[in-house]
Amino acid sequence: MNPALIENWQTIPDYLKELSTLVCALFDDNGRLIDANRAFFQIARITPVRLDPWQVAHCLSNPAFAQLCDAAASGNLVYQGILNIGPRDGTAHSLHGTVYRHGPRLWLVAAP
C-alpha cells in the first residue's frame, strides 16, 4: 500500500472494512484501537463490545506494540515483515505486513 494513500485517513475506508483477506487496523500510541476491518477482528478474536476500553496492543506479540511505537520511522514506514497477531490466549497468526506512522497513529496492513 502506498503510504501517501493513508495520510488523510481518520478511519479505515468503507471499501476495506468488510475484507477478510487483508488485515487493516489503526491504533493510537497508547495501543487503543481507533478502527479495524473484519479480518483484524477475526484474527484477534475480539469484538468491539468485548474490548477493554478498545485496548488491543496485546494482540500484537511480535514485534510487540511498544517496539512499533519506539521504532524510528523512515519516512512514515515503521516496520515491514512478519507480524504475529492474535488473542491473549497465545494463539497468534503470522502475517506478512507493514506498519506506517502518521502523526500519533499507527496503521497496520497485513496479509496471510
Side-chain angles (χ1 to χ4, degrees):
M1 176 173 285
N2 181 345
L5 293 176
I6 66 170
E7 287 187 13
N8 296 316
W9 289 358
Q10 301 299 312
T11 60
I12 303 286
D14 288 340
Y15 61 89
L16 296 176
K17 289 269 188 165
E18 296 302 315
L19 291 179
S20 57
T21 57
L22 181 68
V23 175
C24 299
L26 175 62
F27 302 92
D28 70 11
D29 278 339
N30 295 314
R32 289 186 300 251
L33 185 66
I34 296 169
D35 201 6
N37 71 347
R38 177 186 303 215
F40 179 83
F41 285 115
Q42 288 173 341
I43 286 175
R45 292 199 328 227
I46 55 175
T47 60
V49 276
R50 289 180 42 207
L51 295 174
D52 184 12
W54 293 88
Q55 182 67 286
V56 294
H58 63 273
C59 292
L60 302 174
S61 58
N62 189 25
F65 185 80
Q67 290 173 301
L68 294 173
C69 286
D70 292 343
S74 171
N76 54 352
L77 176 66
V78 172
Y79 177 83
Q80 188 167 26
I82 301 299
L83 293 158
N84 292 325
I85 302 171
R88 290 182 184 203
D89 67 6
T91 58
H93 296 269
S94 292
L95 307 170
H96 187 269
T98 305
V99 178
Y100 301 97
R101 175 171 289 287
H102 183 66
R105 296 183 175 175
L106 294 173
W107 280 91
L108 179 146
V109 180

